[in-house]
Amino acid sequence: MRSQLPVHSDAAPWRDPRLSPTERAEALLPLMTLEEKVAQLIGVWVGASASGEGVAPHQSDMITELPPWNTLIQYGLGQLTRPFGTAPVDPVLGARSLAASQAQIVAASRFGIPAQVHEECLTGFAAWRATVYPTPLSWGASFDPELVEAMADRIGRSMRAAGVHQGLAPVLDVTRDYRWGRTEETIGEDPYLVGTTGAAYVRGLEGAGIVATLKHFAGYSASRGGRNHAPVPMGRRELTDVILPPFEMALRLGGARSVMNSYAEIDGLPAAADEELLTGLLRDEWGFTGIVVADYFAVRFLQTLHGVAADAADAARLALRAGIDVELPTVDAFGAPLVEAVRSGDVDEALVDRALRRVLIQKIEIGLLDEDWQELPDDVANLRLDDEVSQDVAVRLARESVVLLRNSGVLPLPVGSRVALIGPVADDPMAMLGCYSFPNHVGIHHSEHGLGLEIPSLRDELARRVPLLSHEPGCAITGEDTAGIPAAVAAAAAADVCVLAVGDRAGMFGRGTSGEGCDAVDLRLPGVQAELVRAVLATGTPVVLVLMTGRPYALGPEFDSAAAVVQAFFLGQLGGQALAEVLTGAVNPSGRLPVSVPRDGGGLPGTYLSPPLGRRTKVSSVDPTPAYPFGHGLSYTTFEWSDAGVVDPVDETPDAPAAWPVDGEVRVRITVTNTGDRAGTEVVQLYLHDPVAQTTRPVVRLVGYTRLPLEPGEAAHVTFGVPADLASFSGLSGRRVVEPGEVELRFGRSSGDPVATLPLRLTGVERQVGHQRELLTSVRVEPLVAVPHPA
């Protein structure tokens, strides 16, 4: 339904599909009043509540009574915030309600421009009855970008079918301190793994027609003490070499069309006010042309939390100047304060026009200004957000994400054995879900609606496969009550094997042990769970320790007597099935750690990306060596790695390192054979070691990987083509360089388990590289003739 005002005619040039989006936007922009312009730069969160039971930081402080709906939309509206993700709503009814709102927005203003609708989608479309997928740490553990892309495609299709245009995902923060509550939202601690996986997610979402929003640009995950919103003590090199590459990869290799600012401040400058970051780097250097949206309330936070703005108008000025185009989640600083500041001359209207131009171009690109745009998506009556295809992707990703850390032979569980299932998360469906899943993020405030999905617990699924199963919780996830431990000990002592499931419950702002605002003072298991573990281990019954968590917890010497250790990072709605399948042997585990597992729960955690002095040294009594390193994971079969070498080396001088031109590529190959008696998947990893450089470098860092499924006795050649650009780093000048000199490429089962080392020499003169450098190592797998395997 459209207004009949002349300016609203379908014949207007800004509706002409024969013109480019830029030409159409330029035709419309001069026709708009200041109020109409500013209206396109705001979102409205009509479902938001000031009750304090919010889903965003300081929501109760920031949300005030909004004007009536008709007043809000009289000049148009830029975005609608989370119509599905604020309260449980039937998907079909929600889509119809959204369509009605869009019709009102179109009819109310002179130009009839629909709102761009955004939703959260980190672990699936954050809507009631939508599939809940594994968390990003599980994506990283899978080492399977292709499956992550398939997941994002399913998420995007469901959002598009409901009338949504933009998704606030993926999170590309490289975790730097596991105590940070949002560690569960990160893909891991390595920028290459985060970047390749994040770019795959973006391709899936964008390919389904949804604008992907990269979060959080930049530095949020490196806060002091792992505290949410705390200042970030980071130098420029760490920002350039560790934090920024995943964003570059997601933009160049994924095609993301939106970026969200970080809440963080780096060296005293909040990202939301950082013009060098949001304009100089992102747009001028990297060439980004999409929209930058504010993380929720981040514009006003420049005044209320950071203290760099005097009032709302000043905050709007700083954010616009820095490069933020749209204020989310709801109208505030970019509303009346911005209009008044422009009229008074305190804010240049050219800044408003710059942001508006980007917003209009994106709305045109996604079809909102086309003549055939319709409020109600096709076939809405059959809208279903949790179907068999989506569930299949969810369970496959969950299976691939389970990491077997240790196994003395107790796994798979022996058929016919008496199994005691112990632990506070063993029979808790919510223990499968991350904090940005709808049931945890929103549904917890609406328990009367139920979960909206079937989410079997580990106990449900294990009981289907293990007839002789007993269960005792032992203790709660949090709290000091140990009254249940004796019953758990008795159950374990009476069993042949004990499966002991401990871990987290995700929540928001202190309502969980993991999740946004749920930071930890150390990496010891929450509550009295460690006491439960010690008591059960003391029975002498073989114990399979299962960690269902949102971060890695310390596994020090007191856990060494566990017969097996399994790590799972919030596996999603079918995580119970995936875990039970791995424990019983129906699925051979193939996950690998996307984060290191520390051995000590105290002190400052450090990731594997450490220079020599960040490792164990003779000058400190603290040994930071992890219990299990990044990339570690075991299988129920065995693999032999052999015949590693450089393919067609340029310099074949005996005993000399092979030449690797600073502007070229080197190809290295290894043969992997499944020497066990069952099919399995090895994850082949390639690491770079740079022993001498002009600045300190990590001892090793990931530059290539692939999943390699092999039948018993089957072998394959794996060849990596590594561009020299991947050896680049921030040099003395602060610019990214490829430096000539000796390096090594190391094939490894993990970052701490090198199988073969290939010495190389980067040849030529020092070369400066920028945003257009090569970002990916190519992978080629050549199956070989199967060889006999042991009977």
Side-chain angles (χ1 to χ4, degrees), residues 66-261:
L66 292 174
W69 173 247
N70 289 341
T71 302
L72 279 172
I73 64 174
Q74 64 180 321
Y75 298 115
L77 183 62
Q79 294 224 4
L80 273 171
T81 293
R82 299 179 64 178
F84 291 90
T86 302
V89 57
D90 177 83
V92 173
L93 296 179
R96 294 189 185 281
S97 176
L98 174 57
S101 297
Q102 288 281 38
Q104 293 168 354
I105 293 167
V106 167
S109 65
R110 289 197 304 152
F111 299 100
I113 304 171
Q116 187 162 329
V117 182
H118 77 261
E119 292 282 357
E120 298 284 359
C121 58
L122 189 64
T123 60
F125 182 10
W128 196 50
R129 296 181 176 171
T131 306
V132 180
Y133 296 88
T135 54
L137 265 188
S138 285
W139 311 351
S142 76
F143 277 70
D144 192 346
E146 290 185 1
L147 187 53
V148 170
E149 183 173 344
M151 174 195 69
D153 173 75
R154 297 306 304 171
I155 295 171
R157 287 172 183 265
S158 66
M159 297 172 74
R160 190 73 178 172
V164 177
H165 311 109
Q166 181 175 357
L168 303 187
V171 170
L172 297 179
D173 297 297
V174 178
T175 189
R176 303 296 282 163
D177 188 331
Y178 314 135
R179 295 174 298 180
W180 189 46
R182 304 192 79 166
T183 294
E184 65 170 72
E185 298 179 49
T186 72
I187 296 168
E189 67 183 43
D190 179 88
Y192 189 81
L193 179 65
V194 174
T196 49
T197 307
Y201 180 97
V202 170
R203 285 193 299 272
L205 205 64
E206 290 278 358
I210 296 294
V211 175
T213 303
L214 309 183
K215 298 162 49 173
H216 305 87
F217 194 68
Y220 189 22
S221 57
S223 58
R224 183 175 280 116
R227 296 177 58 245
N228 202 34
H229 289 218
V232 173
M234 180 192 298
R236 193 71 192 180
R237 288 188 178 86
E238 182 180 356
L239 181 70
T240 300
D241 291 345
V242 177
I243 301 298
L244 294 179
F247 292 94
E248 293 184 85
M249 297 175 82
L251 291 172
R252 282 188 49 205
L253 306 178
R257 290 178 285 172
S258 178
V259 170
M260 175 179 278
N261 74 278

Side-chain angles (χ1 to χ4, degrees), residues 57 145 181 215 322 351 431 509 576 686:
K215 298 162 49 173
L351 292 176
F509 309 115
L686 187 69

